[in-house]
Amino acid sequence: MISFGCLGQEGLEINMLNLPKTASPGTHFTIIFEVKSSTKLQEPIIVSLGVPAYWQVLFKKEPQNQINQETLRYIYTVLPPKFAKAGSFTLYVYAKRKNGAIISKKLLIDVVRVRKIEISPVMLPEYVKEGDTLKVEYLIHNQGNSQEAIRVESIDGRIEFNSDTLKVNPNESVRVKNIQLIKESDSNSWETPLGIKAYLKDSLVPIQVINSLPVYSTKIKKKDPYLRFPIEAGV
């Protein structure tokens, strides 16, 4: 437990008992502090916590009885936004007597960097035929709290976009198109892999998504005359 405080001219002192050094975006944390008076309180004091924009105070516990007390303990549970940027943020504890001046204490919390990229195909066909040129769009979504520079590669084809590196802001998405030629085979049906992989800056391990699609021949092969691509018939 840590304890540090400030003393104001109004005879009030704010002592921090619990203040985390870091916080994760979208994850709550707890602040505990005491307000001490140089004399026994004859009337309630006003205490509040100032948080950055879009941060929320989820819970607060205050003393029910302040009269004739010298030390009051407060507990606040605070929630940073899910996509709060990484860096240092300032909070303030305020305390004042009814007709007195406000004293305050500055608190610093470092929001940690979160790197999380999700990749998913927009739509996949049920099957493909050999010789087809398959074009599939993928959605790359940044679920982290910092901008990411992403290099995208195809598993077995090529990527169609204008830049070698994509820059994706927190809670934003980009689309890339994967173009792949379905090669011929001696078989009448088989499975082909389809997918992309993304490399984040300063990371050698790719984030990848791979799907397997059934491929059907466009002509009967001697190996198996009964397997060919589906024929749709209508009345």
Side-chain angles (χ1 to χ4, degrees), residues 100-211:
I102 297 175
I103 68 167
S104 65
K105 181 161 186 64
K106 182 178 180 180
L107 314 177
L108 293 179
I109 298 285
D110 288 329
V111 174
V112 299
R113 184 183 184 188
V114 175
R115 308 183 78 182
K116 184 179 180 182
I117 297 295
E118 293 184 351
I119 304 174
S120 58
V122 176
M123 181 178 294
L124 290 174
E126 294 183 4
Y127 65 90
V128 291
K129 296 181 290 185
E130 63 178 355
D132 284 353
T133 298
L134 182 61
K135 298 180 180 180
V136 175
E137 276 193 321
Y138 287 83
L139 191 69
I140 301 176
H141 186 65
N142 185 356
Q143 290 274 35
N145 67 337
S146 61
Q147 186 187 73
E148 294 287 0
I150 304 173
R151 179 170 56 87
V152 184
E153 295 181 0
S154 174
I155 298 297
D156 190 20
R158 64 183 178 88
I159 300 296
E160 180 183 80
F161 58 90
N162 297 326
S163 175
D164 293 335
T165 302
L166 300 174
K167 292 185 178 180
V168 188
N169 291 320
N171 199 28
E172 290 188 0
S173 301
V174 295
R175 293 192 180 205
V176 297
K177 184 179 292 185
N178 181 56
I179 302 176
Q180 180 173 329
L181 175 64
I182 306 303
K183 301 175 183 178
E184 296 185 0
S185 170
D186 294 332
S187 300
N188 288 280
S189 67
W190 63 96
E191 299 281 329
T192 187
L194 174 74
I196 64 173
K197 50 187 176 181
Y199 291 88
L200 304 184
K201 186 178 180 181
D202 304 324
S203 176
L204 298 177
V205 180
I207 302 165
Q208 59 184 15
V209 55
I210 301 176
N211 299 98

